Amino acid sequence: MKSSTRIVLAGSCALGLLSAPTTAWSAEQHKPAPTPKPTATAKPTAKPTPAPKPVDCTKVKCIALTFDDGPGKYADKLLATLKKHNAKATFFLEGQYVKSRPAFAKLMVTEGHDIGNHSYTHPKFTESSIEDIREELKKTQDVVKKATGKYPTTIRPPYGLLDDDTKTVAAEMKMPIVLWNGGSRDWATKNEKAIYDEVLKNAKRDGVILMHDWVAQTVTVMPKLLTELKKQGYHVVAVSSLPGFKTLKPADVFPAAAAQDKDLSADSPTGDPDDFAQSPEDGN
Protein backbone atom coordinates (compact mmCIF):
# COMPACT_ATOMS: atom_id res chain seq x y z
CA MET A 1 0.00 0.00 0.00
CA LYS A 2 2.84 2.38 0.77
CA SER A 3 4.25 1.83 -2.67
CA SER A 4 0.90 2.56 -4.36
CA THR A 5 0.41 5.71 -2.29
CA ARG A 6 3.88 6.99 -3.15
CA ILE A 7 3.25 6.43 -6.85
CA VAL A 8 -0.06 8.34 -6.70
CA LEU A 9 1.51 11.24 -4.79
CA ALA A 10 4.48 11.40 -7.15
CA GLY A 11 2.20 11.49 -10.17
CA SER A 12 0.10 14.26 -8.65
CA CYS A 13 3.18 16.35 -7.92
CA ALA A 14 4.47 15.89 -11.48
CA LEU A 15 1.16 16.94 -12.96
CA GLY A 16 1.16 20.00 -10.69
CA LEU A 17 4.62 21.02 -11.80
CA LEU A 18 3.69 20.66 -15.47
CA SER A 19 0.45 22.61 -15.15
CA ALA A 20 1.77 25.54 -13.01
CA PRO A 21 4.25 28.06 -14.51
CA THR A 22 7.40 28.86 -12.59
CA THR A 23 7.47 32.02 -10.53
CA ALA A 24 10.14 33.60 -12.72
CA TRP A 25 8.31 32.84 -15.97
CA SER A 26 5.00 34.06 -14.56
CA ALA A 27 6.56 37.29 -13.33
CA GLU A 28 8.10 37.90 -16.76
CA GLN A 29 4.74 37.43 -18.47
CA HIS A 30 3.10 40.01 -16.23
CA LYS A 31 5.92 42.63 -16.44
CA PRO A 32 4.54 45.81 -18.06
CA ALA A 33 5.86 46.55 -21.57
CA PRO A 34 8.47 49.34 -21.66
CA THR A 35 7.13 52.75 -22.66
CA PRO A 36 8.54 53.65 -26.10
CA LYS A 37 10.75 56.74 -26.12
CA PRO A 38 9.43 59.61 -28.22
CA THR A 39 11.19 59.96 -31.55
CA ALA A 40 12.74 63.27 -32.53
CA THR A 41 10.49 65.41 -34.68
CA ALA A 42 11.86 65.58 -38.22
CA LYS A 43 12.93 69.06 -39.27
CA PRO A 44 10.96 70.45 -42.19
CA THR A 45 12.79 70.18 -45.51
CA ALA A 46 13.97 73.55 -46.79
CA LYS A 47 12.03 74.71 -49.82
CA PRO A 48 14.11 74.90 -53.00
CA THR A 49 14.98 78.40 -54.13
CA PRO A 50 12.71 79.26 -57.05
CA ALA A 51 14.46 79.88 -60.36
CA PRO A 52 14.68 83.57 -61.22
CA LYS A 53 12.10 84.76 -63.70
CA PRO A 54 13.40 85.47 -67.22
CA VAL A 55 14.27 89.11 -67.77
CA ASP A 56 11.89 90.89 -70.15
CA CYS A 57 14.16 93.34 -71.96
CA THR A 58 11.19 95.01 -73.61
CA LYS A 59 10.26 96.30 -70.17
CA VAL A 60 13.61 96.79 -68.45
CA LYS A 61 17.03 98.18 -69.39
CA CYS A 62 19.32 95.39 -70.64
CA ILE A 63 22.87 95.02 -71.90
CA ALA A 64 24.72 91.96 -73.22
CA LEU A 65 28.38 91.32 -72.40
CA THR A 66 29.98 88.98 -74.91
CA PHE A 67 33.36 87.25 -74.65
CA ASP A 68 35.38 86.12 -77.69
CA ASP A 69 38.18 83.61 -78.29
CA GLY A 70 37.42 81.35 -75.33
CA PRO A 71 37.22 79.46 -73.24
CA GLY A 72 40.13 81.54 -71.94
CA LYS A 73 42.35 80.41 -69.12
CA TYR A 74 40.54 82.73 -66.66
CA ALA A 75 37.04 81.65 -67.70
CA ASP A 76 36.36 79.78 -64.45
CA LYS A 77 36.94 82.95 -62.39
CA LEU A 78 34.75 84.97 -64.74
CA LEU A 79 31.95 82.40 -64.50
CA ALA A 80 32.11 82.52 -60.70
CA THR A 81 31.74 86.31 -60.77
CA LEU A 82 28.82 86.20 -63.19
CA LYS A 83 27.07 83.64 -60.99
CA LYS A 84 27.57 85.75 -57.86
CA HIS A 85 26.04 88.77 -59.59
CA ASN A 86 23.20 86.79 -61.19
CA ALA A 87 24.38 87.91 -64.63
CA LYS A 88 24.27 86.01 -67.92
CA ALA A 89 26.73 86.37 -70.78
CA THR A 90 27.41 85.09 -74.29
CA PHE A 91 30.63 83.25 -75.08
CA PHE A 92 31.86 82.99 -78.67
CA LEU A 93 34.10 79.95 -78.55
CA GLU A 94 37.07 78.89 -80.63
CA GLY A 95 37.16 75.18 -81.29
CA GLN A 96 40.87 74.89 -80.48
CA TYR A 97 40.31 76.24 -76.96
CA VAL A 98 37.18 74.19 -76.36
CA LYS A 99 39.29 71.15 -77.15
CA SER A 100 41.91 72.12 -74.56
CA ARG A 101 39.44 73.44 -71.93
CA PRO A 102 36.27 71.36 -72.32
CA ALA A 103 35.33 71.67 -68.62
CA PHE A 104 35.07 75.46 -68.91
CA ALA A 105 32.88 75.20 -71.99
CA LYS A 106 30.60 72.72 -70.26
CA LEU A 107 30.29 74.99 -67.21
CA MET A 108 29.18 77.86 -69.44
CA VAL A 109 26.29 75.76 -70.71
CA THR A 110 25.47 74.30 -67.28
CA GLU A 111 25.17 77.77 -65.78
CA GLY A 112 22.82 79.00 -68.49
CA HIS A 113 25.01 81.23 -70.64
CA ASP A 114 24.72 81.49 -74.43
CA ILE A 115 27.46 79.92 -76.56
CA GLY A 116 28.33 80.89 -80.12
CA ASN A 117 30.73 79.71 -82.82
CA HIS A 118 33.85 81.85 -83.33
CA SER A 119 35.68 79.49 -85.73
CA TYR A 120 38.29 76.87 -84.89
CA THR A 121 41.57 78.79 -85.38
CA HIS A 122 40.42 82.45 -85.79
CA PRO A 123 41.28 83.12 -89.44
CA LYS A 124 40.00 86.11 -91.39
CA PHE A 125 36.95 84.81 -93.22
CA THR A 126 37.24 87.59 -95.80
CA GLU A 127 40.56 86.05 -96.85
CA SER A 128 39.33 82.43 -96.68
CA SER A 129 37.62 80.25 -99.27
CA ILE A 130 34.03 79.26 -98.66
CA GLU A 131 35.22 75.68 -98.13
CA ASP A 132 37.61 76.81 -95.38
CA ILE A 133 34.93 78.92 -93.71
CA ARG A 134 32.59 75.95 -93.73
CA GLU A 135 35.26 73.66 -92.27
CA GLU A 136 36.22 76.13 -89.53
CA LEU A 137 32.63 76.51 -88.38
CA LYS A 138 31.55 72.88 -88.67
CA LYS A 139 34.65 71.61 -86.87
CA THR A 140 33.88 73.97 -83.99
CA GLN A 141 30.22 72.89 -83.91
CA ASP A 142 31.32 69.29 -83.43
CA VAL A 143 33.92 69.92 -80.72
CA VAL A 144 31.53 72.15 -78.74
CA LYS A 145 28.76 69.54 -78.94
CA LYS A 146 31.17 66.88 -77.69
CA ALA A 147 32.30 69.03 -74.75
CA THR A 148 28.96 70.51 -73.69
CA GLY A 149 26.18 68.39 -75.16
CA LYS A 150 24.89 71.38 -77.14
CA TYR A 151 25.68 73.03 -80.44
CA PRO A 152 26.41 76.76 -80.65
CA THR A 153 23.38 78.60 -82.00
CA THR A 154 25.03 81.74 -83.40
CA ILE A 155 28.14 82.69 -85.39
CA ARG A 156 30.55 85.54 -84.75
CA PRO A 157 33.15 85.75 -87.53
CA PRO A 158 36.72 86.44 -86.32
CA TYR A 159 37.55 90.17 -86.17
CA GLY A 160 33.92 90.86 -87.09
CA LEU A 161 34.89 90.52 -90.75
CA LEU A 162 31.87 89.55 -92.78
CA ASP A 163 31.34 88.77 -96.47
CA ASP A 164 28.88 86.98 -98.72
CA ASP A 165 30.63 83.60 -98.32
CA THR A 166 30.25 83.83 -94.55
CA LYS A 167 26.55 84.62 -94.93
CA THR A 168 26.13 81.71 -97.33
CA VAL A 169 27.63 79.25 -94.84
CA ALA A 170 25.58 80.76 -92.00
CA ALA A 171 22.44 80.23 -94.06
CA GLU A 172 23.45 76.60 -94.74
CA MET A 173 23.97 76.04 -91.01
CA LYS A 174 20.71 77.87 -90.17
CA MET A 175 22.44 80.25 -87.77
CA PRO A 176 22.26 84.05 -87.35
CA ILE A 177 25.40 86.19 -87.17
CA VAL A 178 26.07 88.21 -83.99
CA LEU A 179 28.45 91.18 -84.06
CA TRP A 180 28.55 94.02 -81.49
CA ASN A 181 27.92 97.75 -81.14
CA GLY A 182 30.33 98.59 -78.33
CA GLY A 183 33.78 97.44 -77.29
CA SER A 184 36.10 97.29 -74.30
CA ARG A 185 39.46 97.27 -76.11
CA ASP A 186 40.61 95.02 -73.29
CA TRP A 187 42.98 93.13 -75.60
CA ALA A 188 44.78 96.39 -76.42
CA THR A 189 45.00 98.17 -73.07
CA LYS A 190 45.10 95.26 -70.61
CA ASN A 191 44.35 97.90 -67.98
CA GLU A 192 41.48 97.58 -65.50
CA LYS A 193 40.55 101.27 -65.37
CA ALA A 194 40.73 101.63 -69.15
CA ILE A 195 38.50 98.55 -69.65
CA TYR A 196 36.01 99.78 -67.04
CA ASP A 197 35.83 103.27 -68.55
CA GLU A 198 35.54 101.99 -72.14
CA VAL A 199 32.65 99.64 -71.35
CA LEU A 200 30.72 102.31 -69.45
CA LYS A 201 31.34 104.80 -72.27
CA ASN A 202 29.85 102.36 -74.78
CA ALA A 203 27.06 101.03 -72.56
CA LYS A 204 23.55 101.63 -73.85
CA ARG A 205 20.20 99.94 -73.64
CA ASP A 206 20.17 96.65 -75.60
CA GLY A 207 23.86 97.13 -76.38
CA VAL A 208 26.18 94.24 -77.26
CA ILE A 209 29.66 94.71 -75.79
CA LEU A 210 32.77 92.90 -77.04
CA MET A 211 35.18 91.57 -74.39
CA HIS A 212 37.64 88.67 -73.98
CA ASP A 213 37.82 86.12 -71.16
CA TRP A 214 41.55 85.53 -71.78
CA VAL A 215 42.39 89.07 -70.64
CA ALA A 216 43.19 88.85 -66.93
CA GLN A 217 42.33 92.51 -66.29
CA THR A 218 38.85 92.01 -67.76
CA VAL A 219 38.15 89.20 -65.35
CA THR A 220 39.59 91.15 -62.40
CA VAL A 221 37.55 94.30 -63.04
CA MET A 222 34.31 92.42 -63.72
CA PRO A 223 32.86 92.57 -60.16
CA LYS A 224 33.27 96.35 -60.10
CA LEU A 225 31.87 96.68 -63.61
CA LEU A 226 28.80 94.52 -62.94
CA THR A 227 28.10 96.48 -59.75
CA GLU A 228 28.22 99.79 -61.61
CA LEU A 229 26.04 98.54 -64.49
CA LYS A 230 23.45 97.43 -61.94
CA LYS A 231 23.58 100.86 -60.27
CA GLN A 232 22.86 102.39 -63.67
CA GLY A 233 19.76 100.21 -63.98
CA TYR A 234 21.09 97.57 -66.38
CA HIS A 235 20.19 93.89 -66.37
CA VAL A 236 23.19 91.96 -67.73
CA VAL A 237 21.74 89.28 -70.01
CA ALA A 238 22.70 86.86 -72.77
CA VAL A 239 22.30 88.09 -76.34
CA SER A 240 19.33 85.76 -76.85
CA SER A 241 17.36 87.81 -74.30
CA LEU A 242 17.65 91.09 -76.21
CA PRO A 243 14.63 92.42 -78.16
CA GLY A 244 14.60 91.32 -81.77
CA PHE A 245 16.85 88.33 -81.36
CA LYS A 246 14.17 85.66 -81.38
CA THR A 247 12.86 86.77 -84.79
CA LEU A 248 16.26 86.43 -86.50
CA LYS A 249 16.49 84.20 -89.56
CA PRO A 250 19.59 82.25 -90.69
CA ALA A 251 22.39 84.59 -91.82
CA ASP A 252 20.64 87.67 -90.39
CA VAL A 253 23.07 90.07 -88.67
CA PHE A 254 22.49 91.24 -85.09
CA PRO A 255 22.51 94.01 -83.96
CA ALA A 256 20.96 95.13 -87.22
CA ALA A 257 23.18 98.16 -87.83
CA ALA A 258 26.43 96.47 -86.82
CA ALA A 259 27.32 95.22 -90.29
CA GLN A 260 27.47 98.83 -91.54
CA ASP A 261 29.62 100.04 -88.64
CA LYS A 262 33.00 101.02 -90.14
CA ASP A 263 34.60 101.28 -86.69
CA LEU A 264 33.61 97.75 -85.71
CA SER A 265 36.97 96.14 -86.43
CA ALA A 266 38.76 98.67 -84.22
CA ASP A 267 37.24 96.93 -81.19
CA SER A 268 38.71 93.55 -82.16
CA PRO A 269 42.32 92.28 -82.01
CA THR A 270 44.26 93.03 -85.15
CA GLY A 271 45.36 89.47 -85.72
CA ASP A 272 48.95 89.98 -84.60
CA PRO A 273 50.16 87.06 -82.45
CA ASP A 274 50.96 89.41 -79.56
CA ASP A 275 47.28 90.35 -79.33
CA PHE A 276 46.43 86.95 -77.90
CA ALA A 277 47.56 86.01 -74.39
CA GLN A 278 46.80 82.34 -74.63
CA SER A 279 47.43 79.24 -76.68
CA PRO A 280 45.71 75.86 -76.91
CA GLU A 281 48.50 74.39 -74.78
CA ASP A 282 47.74 76.66 -71.79
CA GLY A 283 45.36 74.03 -70.42
CA ASN A 284 42.88 74.59 -67.62
Side-chain angles (χ1 to χ4, degrees):
M1 291 298 293
K2 287 183 179 179
S3 298
S4 300
T5 303
R6 287 174 182 162
I7 291 170
V8 171
L9 289 172
S12 299
C13 290
L15 289 171
L17 288 170
L18 289 171
S19 61
T22 62
T23 303
W25 183 84
S26 179
E28 185 68 26
Q29 283 292 91
H30 291 86
K31 186 185 292 185
T35 304
K37 294 181 180 180
T39 57
T41 304
K43 294 181 179 180
T45 304
K47 294 182 179 180
T49 304
K53 293 181 180 179
V55 177
D56 185 348
C57 294
T58 64
K59 297 179 180 179
V60 298
K61 187 177 173 184
C62 291
I63 192 169
L65 301 184
T66 67
F67 299 89
D68 281 12
D69 310 330
K73 56 186 175 182
Y74 312 113
D76 56 339
K77 297 179 180 63
L78 175 60
L79 288 167
T81 298
L82 292 169
K83 185 174 184 179
K84 182 177 180 181
H85 287 259
N86 193 29
K88 298 300 180 188
T90 303
F91 293 89
F92 290 96
L93 306 176
E94 282 185 46
Q96 60 180 335
Y97 300 125
V98 174
K99 186 176 180 180
S100 64
R101 303 184 185 100
F104 288 177
K106 185 173 180 60
L107 189 58
M108 291 168 181
V109 170
T110 300
E111 296 193 352
H113 302 287
D114 281 2
I115 52 171
N117 188 324
H118 196 47
S119 81
Y120 198 87
T121 59
H122 209 270
K124 292 181 179 179
F125 281 0
T126 50
E127 298 176 4
S128 304
S129 68
I130 191 169
E131 292 80 10
D132 288 342
I133 295 170
R134 189 180 289 116
E135 177 66 16
E136 282 277 334
L137 293 173
K138 288 191 173 181
K139 192 174 179 181
T140 298
Q141 289 292 98
D142 292 341
V143 75
V144 173
K145 177 64 162 62
K146 182 178 179 181
T148 70
K150 290 189 176 182
Y151 288 111
T153 55
T154 57
I155 293 169
R156 174 172 282 175
Y159 313 106
L161 297 174
L162 186 60
D163 61 10
D164 289 341
D165 283 348
T166 305
K167 290 184 178 181
T168 296
V169 177
E172 290 173 2
M173 298 175 71
K174 297 180 171 53
M175 297 166 73
I177 298 166
V178 176
L179 299 177
W180 59 89
N181 51 22
S184 63
R185 292 191 60 78
D186 53 357
W187 59 274
T189 64
K190 295 187 175 72
N191 177 279
E192 290 179 33
K193 184 179 186 306
I195 296 165
Y196 178 86
D197 291 344
E198 187 74 9
V199 171
L200 294 180
K201 181 185 80 172
N202 289 313
K204 60 182 178 180
R205 183 166 184 169
D206 302 330
V208 180
I209 304 295
L210 171 65
M211 309 186 82
H212 299 84
D213 63 5
W214 52 266
V215 177
Q217 293 82 1
T218 293
V219 176
T220 303
V221 81
M222 193 56 56
K224 180 182 176 183
L225 183 56
L226 290 172
T227 299
E228 180 58 28
L229 287 170
K230 184 176 181 181
K231 283 182 182 178
Q232 294 188 18
Y234 286 103
H235 294 257
V236 179
V237 301
V239 168
S240 61
S241 294
L242 294 179
F245 179 86
K246 293 190 180 352
T247 61
L248 291 176
K249 297 176 182 177
D252 280 355
V253 178
F254 185 86
Q260 286 76 45
D261 188 347
K262 295 180 180 179
D263 297 325
L264 197 69
S265 60
D267 294 322
S268 181
T270 62
D272 295 333
D274 289 342
D275 289 344
F276 296 88
Q278 64 170 336
S279 71
E281 289 72 38
D282 284 337
N284 289 349

